[in-house]
C-alpha cells in the first residue's frame, strides 16, 4: 500500500514472485540474496518431471485455492484496504508465463545454466509440451482466481522471453500465451489482459 499512498499512480499491482507457481508444483525455490532466484533441485529429465509435477488435468481452481490461496487472500486484503482508504485505482493481477516457469524449473537459475530450457525443448519435446500444458492450465486458474478476488486487470510476464529463439518461441511459448488469453477473455471479456515478453 505504501506506493499508492505516496504517489499519484494510475494503478496498483500485487507483485508476487514469479515462481510461486513452481513452488505450488513441488519445486523448491530459494532467494539467498545477491545471486538471484535459485531452484536448488531443478527437474533433471522427463522421469523426474513425471514423479514430481502433477499432470495437467489436476490443475483446477481447487488446486490453486489449496496451493496458492495465500496470494489470493492477499488480493482480497489489498482490495479491502484500498476501499477503506478511498483508493479507486485499478489493481493489476500478475503471473509468470509458462515458458519462463519452465526455464527456471529445469535450469535452476537466471544466471547459470541459461541453455537448459532450450536443451529441454530440443531433447525432450514431448515432456516439455506436457510441462507447458500443466503450467498453462495452472496460470489460467491462478489468474482467474485473482480476478474473482478483485483484480481489475491482469499482466502475464514472460520474463525469460530473451532465452528462447524465435522458432521455438512460436512453437512452444506463443501457443501457451494464446491459450491463456483465449481462456481468460472467454471467462472475463471485460478484464484487460497485458502480456510482457521481455526480449522476445
Amino acid at each position: 500500500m505504501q506506493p499508492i499512498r505516496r504517489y499519484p499512480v494510475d494503478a496498483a499491482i500485487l507483485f508476487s514472485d514469479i515462481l510461486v507457481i513452481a513452488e505450488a508444483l513441488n519445486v523448491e525455490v530459494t532467494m539467498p540474496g545477491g545471486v538471484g532466484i535459485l531452484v536448488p533441485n531443478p527437474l533433471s529429465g522427463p522421469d523426474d518431471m513425471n514423479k514430481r509435477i502433477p499432470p495437467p488435468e489436476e490443475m483446477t481452481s481447487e488446486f490453486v485455492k489449496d496451493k496458492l490461496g495465500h496470494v489470493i487472500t492477499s488480493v482480497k486484503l489489498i482490495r479491502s484496504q484500498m476501499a477503506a482508504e478511498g483508493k479507486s485505482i485499478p489493481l493489476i493481477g500478475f503471473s509468470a508465463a509458462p515458458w519462463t516457469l519452465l526455464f527456471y524449473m529445469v535450469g535452476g537459475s537466471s544466471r547459470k545454466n541459461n541453455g537448459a530450457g532450450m536443451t529441454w525443448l530440443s531433447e525432450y519435446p514431448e515432456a516439455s509440451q506436457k510441462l507447458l500444458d500443466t503450467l498453462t492450465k495452472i496460470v489460467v486458474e491462478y489468474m482467474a482466481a485473482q480476478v474473482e478476488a478483485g483484480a481489475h486487470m491482469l499482466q502475464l510476464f514472460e520474463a525469460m522471453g530473451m532465452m528462447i529463439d524465435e522458432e521455438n518461441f512460436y512453437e512452444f511459448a506463443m501457443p501457451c500465451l494464446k491459450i491463456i488469453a483465449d481462456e481468460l477473455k472467454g471467462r472475463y471479456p471485460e478484464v484487460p489482459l497485458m502480456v510482457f515478453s521481455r526480449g522476445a
Side-chain angles (χ1 to χ4, degrees), residues 85-119:
E85 297 185 21
K87 306 294 185 183
S88 59
I89 58 176
L91 176 62
I92 304 171
F94 175 89
S95 177
W99 158 252
T100 291
L101 292 164
L102 181 148
F103 174 89
Y104 278 103
M105 290 167 69
V106 305
S109 171
S110 61
R111 302 187 183 186
K112 297 180 180 179
N113 303 321
N114 285 343
M118 287 286 290
T119 298

Side-chain angles (χ1 to χ4, degrees), residues 45-97:
D47 289 341
D48 188 33
M49 180 195 77
N50 289 329
K51 291 176 184 176
R52 295 167 60 187
I53 306 299
E57 56 269 21
E58 292 186 17
M59 299 301 101
T60 64
S61 59
E62 287 302 312
F63 184 93
V64 167
K65 182 179 179 181
D66 179 49
K67 299 292 187 178
L68 293 161
H70 57 290
V71 180
I72 308 309
T73 298
S74 296
V75 175
K76 294 177 181 178
L77 290 172
I78 293 169
R79 279 298 311 277
S80 176
Q81 190 62 34
M82 288 174 67
E85 297 185 21
K87 306 294 185 183
S88 59
I89 58 176
L91 176 62
I92 304 171
F94 175 89
S95 177

Side-chain angles (χ1 to χ4, degrees), residues 19-36:
L19 294 186
V20 291
I21 287 179
E23 290 187 304
L25 296 174
N26 306 315
V27 175
E28 181 187 3
V29 178
T30 64
M31 299 180 190
V35 295

Side-chain angles (χ1 to χ4, degrees), residues 59-200:
M59 299 301 101
T60 64
S61 59
E62 287 302 312
F63 184 93
V64 167
K65 182 179 179 181
D66 179 49
K67 299 292 187 178
L68 293 161
H70 57 290
V71 180
I72 308 309
T73 298
S74 296
V75 175
K76 294 177 181 178
L77 290 172
I78 293 169
R79 279 298 311 277
S80 176
Q81 190 62 34
M82 288 174 67
E85 297 185 21
K87 306 294 185 183
S88 59
I89 58 176
L91 176 62
I92 304 171
F94 175 89
S95 177
W99 158 252
T100 291
L101 292 164
L102 181 148
F103 174 89
Y104 278 103
M105 290 167 69
V106 305
S109 171
S110 61
R111 302 187 183 186
K112 297 180 180 179
N113 303 321
N114 285 343
M118 287 286 290
T119 298
W120 259 70
L121 299 184
S122 175
E123 295 186 0
Y124 314 125
E126 293 183 4
S128 295
Q129 188 59 62
K130 182 180 178 181
L131 180 54
L132 288 169
D133 289 346
T134 292
L135 294 168
T136 298
K137 290 197 70 174
I138 193 172
V139 167
V140 167
E141 298 303 334
Y142 178 51
M143 298 187 91
Q146 292 181 58
V147 173
E148 296 292 341
H152 299 95
M153 55 200 305
L154 298 169
Q155 179 179 9
L156 191 59
F157 188 26
E158 191 73 277
M160 291 298 147
M162 69 289 198
M163 294 298 181
I164 184 172
D165 62 29
E166 184 174 359
E167 180 180 354
N168 281 292
F169 181 86
Y170 281 106
E171 181 177 352
F172 289 100
M174 189 65 174
C176 300
L177 301 180
K178 185 176 188 308
I179 289 169
I180 293 166
D182 288 346
E183 183 64 30
L184 290 171
K185 278 300 186 181
R187 298 187 196 186
Y188 311 105
E190 303 303 318
V191 175
L193 174 62
M194 301 177 285
V195 179
F196 175 47
S197 189
R198 184 167 63 140

